[in-house]
Amino acid sequence: MTLPNHFELLATDGAARTGRLTTPHGMVRTPAFMPVGTAGAMKGMHWREVREAGADIVLGNTYHLMLRPGAERIAALGGLQRFTGWNGPMLTDSGGFQVMSLADLRKVSEHAVTFRSHIDGAKVELSPERSIEVQRFLGSDIAMQMDECVRLPAERDDIERAMRLSLRWAERSKRAFESAPDGYMLFGIVQGGDIPQLRHASAQGLVEMGFHGYAIGGLAVGEPQAVMLAMIDETAPALPTDRPRYLMGVGTPDDILEAVKRGVDMFDCVMPTRNGRHGVAFTRFGQVNLRNARHADDPRPLDEASTWPSARNYARAYLHHLVKAGETLGAMLLSEINIAYYQFLMQGIRDAIAHGTFEEFYQRTRADWSRGDI
Ligand SMILES: COC(=O)c1ccc(CCNc2nc3cc4nc(N)[nH]c(=O)c4cc3[nH]2)cc1
C-alpha cells in the first residue's frame, strides 16, 4: 500500500533537487542538513541558536533516549518537542547502527539486536517493533526503519546477509508503524555495502513496499569518498524522484556538495558540533584548526563577511586562547559557528538549484574552500 507523499519538489538542476517536506511540526527545506542532537540536546548550543542558524529539523537517537531518560518517560512528559523545547521537526535514527557502534555484548538475530546498555549494563532487546514503538513514544516526525549496517570493507556474504535482514526488518517496521497518525513518516534504509547489485536489490525491495522517504545507509562507515559517491550513483536513480533521499551520517561540506549533485536531499552528521568541541572551525574558505599556534596573535575574525555574528566578532587569537585553555565558551562558539556555516552552505545550495546555477555554485564553493590562505 503506497504511503501518502509529504514531499514537494520545487526545482531540479541536473540531478540536484530542491524541495520541501511537510511534517507535523513544520516545514523542512531541502537539501537540508540536520544537526545531531543525539540525547535530546545540541551539545554546547541553545535551541534558539540552532533555529537562528537556519536549521529546520534536528536528529535524535532512539538508542540513547530509550536508555536514558527512557521512551515511555519522554512520552509521559509530552514527547520530544515538549521535553526538549525544540518545537520543530525531528527525525530519529532507529538504533541498530548505534548499538553496533556503542553497546557492549551485542548480538544480532532474526528477531532483534540484544545488547548491554553502555550506561548501566542492563540487558536490552531492540526489535523492529520496539524501535518503532520507541520512535512513536518520542513523537519524532520522521522515524527510520530498524536495519543492520555493515562497516566497510566487508565480505560480500556478510553485506548480502545484512541487506536481506534489513529488508525483512523494513517490512516489520512498516507494519509496526501503520497505526501512526497522519503526517508522521517512516523512511526505509537502503543497504548493500559497496556492491551495486545488492544496492539495486535493496532499493527495489524497499520501493515495492513503499515508504514516505528513502535513506541511503551503510555508507560513511570507513569507505573512501569515491566509493561512497559511486554507491550514491548506483542507488539514487533506483529511488522514486518524488520522495526524499537521506544520506545517513554525512558529512563534510565537500561530501554534502558532491551528494547533492547526485540527487540527495537530506543529511546529518556530528562533524560540525564534534569538530567544534575539538577546536576546528568550518568556514567559507575551508577548515581552520584553532589549536594551531599560528593563530595566537591573529586579530582577524574567522570570516569578517560571515552572516553569523560570532564568526565575525571574535579574533582568532581569542578563539585560540579559549580552545587552548579548555574554556567551555570555546566549544560553544565553535559549535554555533560550525552549525551556522553548514546551514549557510545548505541555503546557498537551495538558492543555486532554484536559480539553475548549481554548477557555478559548486565550482565557486570548491574553489573558495581550497584557497588555503586562511
Ligand atoms: C568529527 O566527526 C565524527 O566524529 C564523525 C563520526 C562518524 C561519522 C560517520 C557517521 N556515519 C554513519 N552514521 C550512520 C547512521 C546509520 N543509521 C542507520 N540506521 N543505518 C545506517 O546504515 C547508518 C549509516 C551511518 N553512517 C562522521 C563523523
Side-chain angles (χ1 to χ4, degrees):
M1 149 265 222
T2 55
L3 296 176
N5 192 5
H6 302 296
F7 183 56
E8 183 190 359
L9 260 190
L10 298 174
T12 61
D13 188 347
R17 306 123 58 84
T18 184
R20 59 180 173 208
L21 186 57
T22 303
T23 82
H25 287 92
M27 188 77 68
V28 180
R29 298 165 291 174
T30 69
F33 179 80
M34 301 182 281
V36 176
T38 287
M42 196 59 57
K43 289 179 171 51
M45 289 179 74
H46 288 283
W47 292 119
R48 70 172 181 280
E49 293 166 323
V50 177
R51 177 67 71 186
E52 282 164 11
D56 293 335
I57 179 170
V58 300
L59 182 142
N61 269 305
T62 291
Y63 172 80
H64 297 77
L65 291 167
M66 72 184 282
L67 296 181
R68 182 175 57 190
E72 284 78 359
R73 171 171 287 144
I74 289 175
L77 290 162
L80 264 180
Q81 279 83 359
R82 176 104 38 115
F83 183 60
T84 61
W86 166 265
N87 55 15
M90 294 186 92
L91 178 147
T92 45
D93 199 353
S94 46
F97 180 85
Q98 290 74 31
V99 167
M100 301 316 280
S101 43
L102 291 168
D104 307 321
L105 300 176
R106 68 253 176 184
K107 191 169 67 68
V108 179
S109 71
E110 181 67 30
H111 174 64
V113 290
T114 52
F115 60 94
R116 287 210 178 277
S117 160
H118 72 284
I119 293 169
D120 61 10
K123 198 164 165 47
V124 181
E125 176 183 278
L126 187 60
S127 63
E129 292 78 14
R130 175 60 181 160
S131 175
I132 296 299
E133 182 184 49
V134 166
Q135 296 179 79
R136 295 297 315 124
F137 274 133
L138 298 176
S140 70
D141 301 84
I142 304 172
M144 302 307 294
Q145 73 156 90
M146 178 80 171
D147 62 333
E148 184 188 350
C149 168
V150 171
R151 266 149 183 61
L152 294 176
E155 293 300 317
R156 180 194 172 103
D157 290 353
D158 202 29
I159 295 172
E160 180 157 11
R161 175 200 55 75
M163 183 275 281
R164 299 208 181 285
L165 175 65
S166 295
L167 277 179
R168 295 192 295 277
W169 283 1
E171 192 79 66
R172 286 170 53 188
S173 299
K174 187 178 176 188
R175 206 172 306 122
F177 184 82
E178 250 143 29
S179 60
D182 281 356
Y184 288 85
M185 290 175 263
L186 174 67
F187 282 17
I189 304 177
V190 179
Q191 292 294 344
D194 52 1
I195 301 172
Q197 298 83 344
L198 297 180
R199 285 280 168 187
H200 301 155
S202 180
Q204 187 184 336
L206 293 173
V207 171
E208 281 165 10
M209 291 178 217
F211 287 89
H212 294 105
Y214 299 88
I216 303 176
L219 294 175
V221 288
E223 78 286 356
Q225 186 195 53
V227 172
M228 179 178 80
L229 298 181
M231 288 307 107
I232 297 169
D233 286 331
E234 293 293 338
T235 308
L239 297 173
T241 52
D242 65 345
R243 305 260 167 167
R245 296 112 176 232
Y246 160 31
L247 180 57
M248 304 188 84
V250 175
T252 64
D254 181 52
D255 291 336
I256 290 171
L257 202 56
E258 292 294 347
V260 166
K261 189 180 174 79
R262 290 165 172 79
V264 175
D265 307 302
M266 295 167 70
F267 301 88
D268 86 273
C269 193
V270 296
M271 199 165 274
T273 38
R274 191 174 294 176
N275 278 16
R277 294 197 301 281
H278 297 156
V280 175
F282 287 94
T283 78
R284 285 185 299 140
F285 308 114
Q287 295 182 36
V288 182
N289 185 338
L290 286 148
R291 302 195 67 83
N292 192 307
R294 68 189 177 94
H295 303 297
D297 299 300
D298 192 337
R300 295 176 305 155
L302 278 172
D303 178 356
E304 58 203 12
S306 172
T307 53
W308 191 254
S310 295
R312 13 173 243 272
N313 293 337
Y314 290 97
R316 292 168 190 226
Y318 180 58
L319 294 171
H320 171 71
H321 163 67
L322 291 178
V323 168
K324 295 296 278 185
E327 283 295 332
T328 306
L329 182 62
M332 292 163 62
L333 290 174
L334 288 172
S335 294
E336 57 165 270
I337 285 165
N338 289 352
I339 290 294
Y341 173 70
Y342 267 65
Q343 296 303 331
F344 172 82
L345 173 66
M346 301 319 291
Q347 187 59 58
I349 286 171
R350 294 191 291 261
D351 289 345
I353 298 169
H355 295 99
T357 58
F358 180 73
E359 187 55 30
E360 295 84 337
F361 178 85
Y362 172 87
Q363 298 297 347
R364 189 179 68 254
T365 301
R366 293 165 56 80
D368 284 349
W369 284 337
S370 55
R371 274 181 27 179
D373 62 347
I374 56 173

